[in-house]
Amino acid sequence: MSYTDSDQPTGQRYPARIGVFCDQCGTTVEHDYIVSDDMGKAERYEVARNHLTENEGWVCTPWRDLCQSCASKPHP
């Protein structure tokens, strides 16, 4: 991370390895994503969840994350 002399984020972008866990079967997918030093942990996690939803068939909601296989099965 890059900070100015006042320890404030600069918006510098860098790669981060982020994993998302399927709450149904336990599958974990990890990828490198580009994030910035002004993003909090939750915002960086959302980068990964959005990628999985848009590109890999995952269903990610505020309540759970489901891999493509589990997302296609009926759930209670």
Side-chain angles (χ1 to χ4, degrees), residues 1 4-6 14 20 22-23 26 28 30-31 34 38 40 46 48-49 57 61 63 65-66 72-73 75:
M1 283 188 240
T4 62
D5 290 338
S6 62
Y14 62 93
V20 178
C22 176
D23 294 315
T28 301
E30 292 183 355
H31 294 296
I34 300 298
D38 59 356
E46 281 305 309
R49 293 175 85 227
T61 70
W63 305 278
D65 300 322
L66 300 173
S72 64
K73 299 174 186 172
H75 296 283

Side-chain angles (χ1 to χ4, degrees), residues 27-54:
T27 296
T28 301
V29 175
E30 292 183 355
H31 294 296
D32 289 328
Y33 300 96
I34 300 298
V35 297
S36 66
D37 67 354
D38 59 356
M39 297 171 105
K41 183 178 180 180
E43 291 171 301
R44 293 189 303 266
Y45 188 63
E46 281 305 309
V47 169
R49 293 175 85 227
N50 287 337
H51 169 82
L52 292 173
T53 299
E54 294 173 10

Side-chain angles (χ1 to χ4, degrees), residues 2-10:
S2 176
Y3 291 93
T4 62
D5 290 338
S6 62
D7 285 336
Q8 296 297 314
T10 63

